[in-house]
Amino acid sequence: MINDPENLLDGLTEPQRDAAAHVDGPALVLAGPGSGKTRVITRRVAWLLHQGIPAWQVLALTFTNKAAGEMRERIDALLPSTMTNRRGLFVATFHAFCARQMRTHAQLVGLDSGFSIYDTSDQRSAMKEALSTSNLDSGNWTPASMLSAVSKAKNDLKTAEVYEEEAGDFYTRAVARAYKAYARILKRNNAVDFDDLLLLTAELVRTNESVRTELQSRFRYVLIDEYQDTNHAQFVIADGIANAHGNLFVVGDPDQSIYGWRGADVANILEFEGKYPGTRIIALGRNFRSTGHIVAAADALIRNNRRRKHKDLHTELGEGEQVRIIRCQDERHEAEQIALAIRSASNEGIDYRSMAILYRVNALSRVLEDSLRGAGIPYVIARGTAFFARREIKDALSYLRALANPLDDVALARIVNVPARKIGAKTLKAIGRHAMHQDMSLFDALLDVNRVEGIGPRAKRSVEIFTQTIARWQAQLENGHLAQLAGFVAQVITESGLEAMHLGTGDEDGQERVANLNELVNAAAEFEMPDEELDGVPEESSDAPVPIIDSAPAAGLTEALRGFLESVALVSDQDAIDESRGAVTLMTLHAAKGLEYDFIAMAGLEEGMLPHARSQEGEQELEEERRLCFVGMTRAKRQLVMTMAASRAVRGQRNRTVPSSFLSEIPDEHVALERLDGSGGFDEGLSIVYDSEFVDESHDEDGSGFGSRFPAGTVVRHPQFGIGTVRSISPRGTVSSAKVAFHGIGTKTLILEYARLEIVHG
């Protein structure tokens, strides 16, 4: 802990000191990769408190539980235990902050405070029902595509009613029908999805003066980490709270904005100073993570983007090793080369736990896994919330959710016959039909089973036993307290029959599932309710706002269970990544953001892979792909290997590939090039790494390349977009791109080498 506030700035660079000591007014900290932004944020919070600002007036928001937890720990370590104004600091993820507001103000948004938070599989179940009730064929309208469209609408703060009013064509009208039905199902089940947490909070902040004033009075200093990842709803929330006092301090990097596909709006950070006049801009360009060649290579790549705020990236860690770029024969050869590079790095003293393999799409992991297993290299795959997505865990959590929120039909439907208790699909369908006709919840229909037609006496008796068990557990919930949470979870797992069901299989898989259920009990034992000492506004503060919006609820068992379920529901992708494991980590480039490893291998550096085929849609999409490549490169501290395959199997067909144009944007002096596909020697520059067949077609000087085949004005046919007219041709690294205006669709930017364009004659 630090007693002298001046010591808080010790060891910081000058830009870091400027940022950490900033107090009043808007500030934008442009934090490059590895520039110590978490250190700046935590020092700045501690600095505010040392200036006498009460901790309960400070709100710090980020995007992962992991980041929020690290911030809390670091801040706590910086503050003397005797400091009188340290109570009430609120450091959380955006979704956790919004969930807290929804619990407090549930009635204002038409919810009961015991609402469920639906995860991806719950949303899919609800959307399947919505499509069915809307008479939309799931073969044409998949739950995934509809949920994506609804998510985008919610991030744009469009309710189902608003979206329906704006729907003007066949597609949007279909989405509107599904959206309305989906919203009705959530409301009936007293449930929200992740996007609702943001949407409903944003609506409260924007339209409810009492709530807005309450938040503005409480939080007079707002800090936001990873600001480049905020969407419109998050902007509205932050702006609504901070615009009363202007003390909005944001940290981020436009060059690391890689979540546009799920609603993040890079314009929030690019246009920040325009929205907040008088903004102080502080650039953190010194990289404390990576060696010189890695930093310079990544910097050269990202300079090709136009939509960015430039900052000079540099490091004082020495030049280090050049970036290895390896051209392989095919995907198996590529995987073998990566395994060899990992083995070599291990021999040089780098632990497996300090290594990672990154790829653009999960499909690339299969061959990589085969190669690692063959080489005897231990590995783990980061697949998001894998533990909580396991069937046995989902079953147990569904029991708990049904107890915490009896209106949660999705949870009830999952477990009413798990384990099997003679309540089959026919019985459940009849009960569901009764619930719909009587306009009641599924649980109320189960209680009313004696009035349900078409159900035999044995099934009715099974339903009665089930509802009696639920009622007994609910009575225990009402009379229990936090200390009983783990025991209660264990009791439900045992008395529900889940434990016996898996033990009864007598095999290793059943034993593993029981072990997972035991781990869920451990998670409940470790769960802590928000501590009033840390999260509540001190009662003695004469200027404290009333009511206290985030004071801890009474630690009854019901509240404890709801809090536990909320903490589970808000687990993010990166929270599942265990960097302490003695194994190489495999993950997507998106999952790697915020992490760092001594050794990084990036696989699949090919056109259509990285950049992904989505980059054909336009320049903004291509720039986001370049940012994704930049993020991957800057995860590496000491060694960076980038690989590509000359051919790759896709759906059983072997196709030649075009090397990623991003590779040609890395200066030769930072690269050690290895051609292992037979295309040439090792001593030539990167600029001629590509196969002669591609060089001849795209860059020969006599006008016979791809660009010359499709001059402006050429009418072409695309297999997906139909008929269009070429508007312009331009080089893109070692390939060519064309802007094509398609009839009824608009203008698309396509890579000619793999766009499969056909000239329409006559």
Side-chain angles (χ1 to χ4, degrees), residues 483-497:
Q484 297 174 314
L485 178 61
F488 182 76
V489 172
Q491 178 185 345
V492 170
I493 289 172
T494 299
E495 294 182 359
S496 65

Side-chain angles (χ1 to χ4, degrees), residues 229-246:
D229 293 335
T230 54
N231 59 27
H232 181 57
Q234 289 159 332
F235 165 78
V236 168
I237 293 167
D239 180 70
I241 298 173
N243 65 18
H245 43 69

Side-chain angles (χ1 to χ4, degrees), residues 61 90 92-105 115 194 196-202 204 233-234 237 566 570:
L61 298 176
F90 201 123
T93 65
F94 258 105
H95 286 90
F97 172 74
C98 292
R100 182 75 67 87
Q101 306 319 309
M102 289 301 94
R103 297 287 179 205
T104 304
H105 303 294
F115 62 81
F194 296 121
D196 284 324
L197 293 173
L198 301 178
L199 168 65
L200 296 174
T201 302
L204 274 178
Q234 289 159 332
I237 293 167
E566 181 179 299
L570 295 178

Side-chain angles (χ1 to χ4, degrees), residues 56-57 59 97 215-221 241 245 549:
W56 54 264
Q57 291 192 336
L59 171 66
F97 172 74
L215 290 168
Q216 290 173 343
S217 299
R218 167 68 193 277
F219 298 117
R220 301 191 60 79
Y221 292 88
I241 298 173
H245 43 69
I549 68 164

